[in-house]
Amino acid sequence: MDDVAVSLSHKLLESAQTPEQKSRLEKMVIPQLTAALLQLGVNQPEDPYLWLAKNFCDKTIKAEWVEHLVLKLNVGDFFGEIALLSHKPRQATVKATRKTEALVLSRDGFSRLCGSLVDVLKRNMDTYESLTLPEDEDIAEKEDEAQHTLEPENHPMPEFAKSANRKRRSCVFVEPVQLEEDWVAPSFEKDAADETRLQDLLSKTALLAALEASAKKTIVGAFQKKSFATGSDVIKEGDDGDYFYILDEGSADVFKKIDGEEKKVFAYSSGGSFGELALLHGEPRLATVRAVTDCQVWALDRDTFRKIMMSAGKQSMDERSKFINKVKLFDELQPYEKFRIAEAMELRHFNEGDVIISEGDPGEEFFIIQSGACNCYKKSLKF
């Protein structure tokens, strides 16, 4: 701390433009600054800014942190990305202004699935960096408006950009799924090691990890092992969907025809899962998955997949996918990329007044408001 005080003292003296300024710095400012820094090192307060303000300012002046409303967030707005992109603490506090539902993506999911959106998200960072605290005369008016403005009970959905070349689905399944009372899922023989391995893979597959224990047991039995040689297609773009796959061993690349040319758009390693879109929505395969090495996969047939997902109440995934399709941030993504994000996100509920993220905390999650509204606040010292 001594070195810091000396360095700052030198810089302050160098900044003096007149002998009078230098004299004032030497006699008043530098001694107080040195004493403050030394005491700061000794006391190590939890809030150094507030501690300095209370202990080294005029004792007749009271200092306290005050929150100022700087931004209102509504359905489709997102927040939390700055801390994930910059690895800095949260830059603001976000509170729910009424009952709110938000889709939440962890840091790991954000890194894996939102890589292609980094440039878009960084442009959004400029919006937050340009936010300034309101003038004193505006604070009361803005905060009063935030607390007392009556909002309609049926909050209108904002006009989002439409997804290109895609029609909105009315149902998660293209045709009704009949779950007969006497239906029994197929079961393929596995040794204990395979069952343990498959259970571990399922725990890392967002679409299936949340299944109840009984459903997981059924689905483990229904998976069958398949092998694909290097260079062979596990699934092919345009084909009908017949299986959902989890890659156990090996690696595979994903290719999609863009402007008539097949281009690599993604890659899978052990634990990667694919093929669910065609099974859920009855659409042709949206991409080709090709084995880069010899691959061992676990495959679940279409009928079993759909019946288990239906019985587990996973139709809500369609509602989440539809919402993701409407969020402007994801306009540039392919349908399967949007589905991956929807699959990895957790729905979280907040009541009016709940603090969702706090300024200064480390950031580990990214949020999109699915319903409700939030206010964004920044703190400043008030004397």
Side-chain angles (χ1 to χ4, degrees):
M1 194 63 71
D2 288 341
D3 293 339
V4 174
V6 171
S7 176
L8 285 174
S9 298
H10 283 312
K11 289 184 178 180
L12 284 171
L13 290 174
E14 290 173 359
S15 69
Q17 298 180 354
T18 66
E20 291 78 10
Q21 287 180 349
K22 185 174 181 180
S23 176
R24 179 178 173 80
L25 287 170
E26 289 176 330
K27 292 180 179 180
M28 299 182 64
V29 177
I30 290 177
Q32 288 192 30
L33 175 63
T34 303
L37 290 174
L38 289 174
Q39 288 298 314
L40 187 64
V42 171
N43 289 274
Q44 296 185 349
E46 183 177 345
D47 189 334
Y49 301 104
L50 186 58
W51 185 87
L52 285 170
K54 287 184 174 180
N55 289 278
F56 288 89
C57 290
D58 187 330
K59 299 301 182 182
T60 62
I61 299 176
K62 294 184 178 180
E64 61 179 346
W65 285 112
V66 178
E67 285 187 336
H68 304 292
L69 174 64
V70 293
L71 188 66
K72 292 185 177 183
L73 301 169
N74 294 297
V75 175
D77 289 334
F78 52 91
F79 58 92
E81 76 284 3
I82 295 178
L84 300 185
L85 291 170
S86 65
H87 301 285
K88 294 180 180 179
R90 297 291 194 193
Q91 301 298 297
T93 294
V94 176
K95 299 179 183 179
T97 59
R98 52 195 175 94
K99 283 191 174 181
T100 296
E101 292 181 333
L103 294 174
V104 185
L105 189 63
S106 68
R107 176 182 287 276
D108 176 66
F110 183 87
S111 300
R112 287 186 295 105
L113 302 172
C114 294
S116 58
L117 295 173
V118 168
D119 289 339
V120 178
L121 289 166
K122 283 184 176 177
R123 288 198 296 271
N124 188 66
M125 287 173 66
D126 295 337
T127 302
Y128 291 95
E129 290 175 356
S130 66
L131 291 177
T132 57
L133 294 177
E135 297 295 331
D136 288 343
E137 58 267 23
D138 295 333
I139 292 173
E141 180 181 345
K142 285 192 175 184
E143 293 186 341
D144 184 69
E145 176 189 347
Q147 293 175 11
H148 300 292
T149 299
L150 294 176
E151 301 201 31
E153 290 186 7
N154 296 318
H155 189 70
M157 182 76 76
E159 289 296 323
F160 295 103
K162 302 287 185 181
S163 295
N165 302 321
R166 292 197 79 198
K167 294 182 180 179
R168 295 178 61 183
R169 303 184 183 94
S170 59
C171 179
V172 64
F173 299 130
V174 70
E175 60 190 38
V177 179
Q178 299 298 325
L179 187 61
E180 303 86 357
E181 290 186 7
D182 59 349
W183 179 79
V184 177
S187 182
F188 297 89
E189 187 176 350
K190 302 173 184 68
D191 59 28
D194 278 344
E195 287 189 358
T196 300
R197 172 68 175 163
L198 189 47
Q199 287 171 352
D200 180 61
L201 292 171
L202 288 181
S203 69
K204 299 174 183 177
T205 305
L207 187 63
L208 305 176
L211 291 175
E212 294 181 355
S214 58
K216 282 185 179 179
K217 183 177 180 180
T218 300
I219 213 167
V220 165
F223 269 103
Q224 55 184 301
K225 184 172 281 190
K226 291 178 176 286
S227 301
F228 292 88
T230 302
S232 60
D233 291 340
V234 183
I235 63 176
K236 190 172 183 179
E237 184 175 359
D239 285 355
D240 291 333
D242 49 2
Y243 287 95
F244 166 69
Y245 296 96
I246 299 178
L247 182 57
D248 189 1
E249 298 177 4
S251 58
D253 287 342
V254 182
F255 297 89
K256 187 167 179 61
K257 288 183 179 178
I258 302 174
D259 297 328
E261 182 181 350
E262 193 175 67
K263 295 183 179 180
K264 179 181 173 180
V265 294
F266 197 68
Y268 289 113
S269 57
S270 178
S273 60
F274 51 90
E276 69 275 25
L277 282 179
L279 304 191
L280 286 172
H281 303 309
E283 295 180 342
R285 299 291 194 189
L286 295 176
T288 295
V289 177
R290 187 168 297 145
V292 177
T293 63
D294 288 347
C295 291
Q296 295 284 334
V297 303
W298 292 103
L300 184 66
D301 72 89
R302 182 174 185 261
D303 183 62
T304 303
F305 176 86
R306 293 174 65 191
K307 286 180 176 178
I308 289 178
M309 297 310 290
M310 184 189 73
S311 62
K314 289 298 180 180
Q315 294 95 325
S316 60
M317 177 62 72
D318 186 56
E319 295 178 5
R320 190 179 303 179
S321 297
K322 287 178 181 178
F323 176 76
I324 292 294
N325 275 332
K326 297 174 183 176
V327 177
K328 276 189 174 182
L329 171 64
F330 302 121
D331 279 353
E332 300 175 16
L333 296 185
Q334 296 293 326
Y336 70 90
E337 293 176 305
K338 295 179 184 179
F339 186 86
R340 286 291 179 194
I341 291 174
E343 178 189 24
M345 296 192 99
E346 170 194 348
L347 183 63
R348 203 170 292 173
H349 302 268
F350 301 95
N351 293 318
E352 180 179 353
D354 284 353
V355 176
I356 302 176
I357 62 175
S358 296
E359 184 175 358
D361 284 355
E364 297 297 332
E365 295 175 319
F366 170 66
F367 299 80
I368 303 176
I369 299 175
Q370 181 167 292
S371 67
C374 300
N375 282 345
C376 180
Y377 300 90
K378 286 187 72 70
K379 292 192 300 185
S380 69
L381 275 177
K382 184 178 181 180
F383 296 93

